Amino acid sequence: MAKASDSTSPKISIIVPVYKVEHYLRRCLDSIASQTFTDWECILIDDGSPDKSGVICDEYAGRDGRFRVIHQENKGVSAARNAGLDAARGEWIGFADSDDWCEKEYIEKFFSQAQKEKVQLVFCDWFEENGAKTIIRKSPFVRSKTDLLWKVAIGEIPGYLWHKFFLLQTINHFHIRFSSELSMWEDVLFVFNFCVHAENCVSINTPLYHYNLANASSLCHSGMNYDDWFNQTNRCIAEIEKKLISTELSELLSPALDYRRANVKIHYMRKLPKEKISSVSFSDAELRILQKYNSLNPFVLRIKTWCPAHRCINLYDSLRFVWKSVKSLFKREGVKNA
């Protein structure tokens, strides 16, 4: 077990925004309190929660001084996380969602890997929890800083904060904070902004965090407004493009952002009524990058261009299924004949 240091400043700061999670919060905080690595602080930001969440935060702070509580009026998750960053004293920053939980060695493995590799960013695999079903999600291997930025831009490395640890010195030196103008995808923008300045990173091929999809009150289960989601997503991508203007990364990552924007449009179109789908269009750059990176290229892209939008999506999905089935059949036949 890693012991706490004699220093007044902890090695790790875990930031947890709290809002209307009284039924899940104790599990989250218990998982942090039981960490094998003990030199940490956990900053709980009660974002004006109307339930008993704030009381629970005070309860944990009262019996364990490593928990610190900030009570504020409801300002949203970006302002809550920024308040946590302003208050953080650790060398490394981790984030947790208050309805999730983590493995006992979550902090120890992160800190050990960070010290060993001398990096600025560490990320890990995670468990995706959906009631009785648990899926292990893997983080991709990153070859270089360019590869890191590309994979963040296209979404292969998701914008989730809780499976990453960030060096606070880098965050503060480059004044990286969460955008209060974004109510969605604010985490993606933060991660990308950090990765622009991070010189190196390392991944841990072990699932250490439990992402709870079973919370019915979370954003993904609470009747998301897909028009807002679409607008916020495009705004995030526009902010990333603005960040890259006049840098050597602009031309390099432009195709990745075209790919991300095109896939966002496809997802959005699936949620629209048929009479509104024709309002969504693809640029030539978006079509080119989809053709390049789609497993059915170039045939599907021609179909997507020829057909009315609402039919092309269904046809695209059907052909994708057929194509995967045919490939699977060929593989099985190959094994039999070997």
Side-chain angles (χ1 to χ4, degrees):
M1 176 184 291
K3 299 294 184 182
S5 68
D6 296 330
S7 172
T8 56
S9 296
K11 295 293 185 184
I12 306 292
S13 296
I14 304 294
I15 296 173
V16 184
V18 176
Y19 185 74
K20 291 176 67 174
V21 284
E22 60 181 354
H23 300 300
Y24 301 93
L25 184 56
R26 291 183 188 278
R27 179 177 61 185
C28 175
L29 302 187
D30 286 341
S31 74
I32 294 172
S34 63
Q35 290 295 299
T36 56
F37 186 95
T38 60
D39 191 9
W40 53 264
E41 66 174 355
C42 181
I43 304 171
L44 306 172
I45 303 92
D46 170 26
D47 193 34
S49 189
D51 62 3
K52 296 179 181 179
S53 296
V55 174
I56 295 172
C57 290
D58 290 336
E59 174 191 325
Y60 276 77
R63 66 183 191 221
D64 188 337
R66 294 174 298 178
F67 287 99
R68 300 165 56 199
V69 184
I70 298 173
H71 296 284
Q72 64 182 33
E73 295 180 359
N74 180 249
K75 299 178 182 178
V77 68
S78 290
R81 288 175 178 145
N82 286 338
L85 287 173
D86 291 341
R89 300 174 299 175
E91 296 177 15
W92 286 84
I93 297 292
F95 296 89
D97 287 352
S98 49
D99 54 351
D100 298 339
W101 69 100
C102 49
E103 294 286 293
K104 288 185 178 182
E105 295 182 337
Y106 173 66
I107 296 178
E108 182 167 4
K109 285 186 177 295
F110 264 109
F111 186 70
S112 174
Q113 196 74 355
Q115 294 294 100
K116 177 184 176 182
E117 301 293 339
K118 306 298 182 184
V119 294
Q120 294 166 282
L121 173 66
V122 185
F123 48 92
C124 71
D125 301 341
W126 67 95
F127 299 99
E128 193 173 272
E129 306 283 355
N130 195 354
K133 185 176 181 180
T134 300
I135 300 172
I136 295 178
R137 299 296 187 187
K138 308 291 288 184
S139 294
F141 175 73
V142 175
R143 298 176 180 83
S144 63
K145 176 174 179 174
T146 302
D147 190 40
L148 171 67
L149 287 168
W150 180 275
K151 287 175 176 174
V152 171
I154 68 173
E156 188 175 346
I157 296 177
Y160 303 139
L161 300 168
W162 33 253
H163 78 126
K164 302 178 180 76
F165 268 41
F166 306 84
L167 189 65
L168 181 59
Q169 183 180 15
T170 304
I171 291 174
N172 287 338
H173 180 76
F174 293 102
H175 309 290
I176 304 169
R177 289 297 187 268
F178 293 90
S179 172
S180 59
E181 297 180 358
L182 291 173
S183 58
M184 305 173 199
W185 283 56
E186 76 292 330
D187 49 358
V188 175
L189 184 58
F190 178 90
V191 170
F192 188 87
N193 285 339
F194 184 90
C195 290
V196 167
H197 301 292
E199 295 302 322
N200 42 40
C201 69
V202 66
S203 62
I204 302 171
N205 299 320
T206 304
L208 298 171
Y209 189 91
H210 296 260
Y211 176 35
N212 178 27
L213 291 175
N215 180 4
S217 63
S218 67
L219 180 63
C220 60
H221 295 289
S222 57
M224 180 192 298
N225 184 314
Y226 276 94
D227 289 334
D228 289 345
W229 175 85
F230 184 64
N231 292 331
Q232 290 280 303
T233 300
N234 283 319
R235 190 167 185 174
C236 173
I237 295 173
E239 287 296 320
I240 292 174
E241 288 176 324
K242 187 188 302 183
K243 176 85 175 178
L244 295 176
I245 290 176
S246 301
T247 72
E248 60 184 13
L249 297 171
S250 180
E251 185 175 351
L252 178 69
L253 295 177
S254 180
L257 295 175
D258 286 333
Y259 180 80
R260 189 70 174 268
R261 188 185 289 107
N263 277 283
V264 164
K265 288 179 180 179
I266 290 172
H267 182 75
Y268 178 59
M269 289 166 72
R270 289 194 177 104
K271 304 297 179 180
L272 287 177
K274 291 182 178 180
E275 62 272 14
K276 290 187 177 181
I277 288 178
S278 60
S279 63
V280 181
S281 60
F282 294 84
S283 69
D284 290 341
E286 291 165 355
L287 288 173
R288 282 196 301 269
I289 197 67
L290 276 174
Q291 178 175 332
K292 182 176 181 180
Y293 288 98
N294 192 280
S295 62
L296 285 178
N297 67 340
F299 182 61
V300 166
L301 264 297
R302 287 202 297 269
I303 292 175
K304 289 170 69 66
T305 306
W306 295 337
C307 297
H310 68 273
R311 287 191 296 168
C312 84
I313 292 175
N314 294 331
L315 187 55
Y316 167 77
D317 290 339
S318 298
L319 285 169
R320 190 176 180 85
F321 173 78
V322 170
W323 179 252
K324 287 184 175 180
S325 300
V326 170
K327 286 203 299 183
S328 176
L329 178 61
F330 277 125
K331 285 182 180 179
R332 287 199 299 269
E333 289 297 323
V335 170
K336 289 179 182 179
N337 295 330

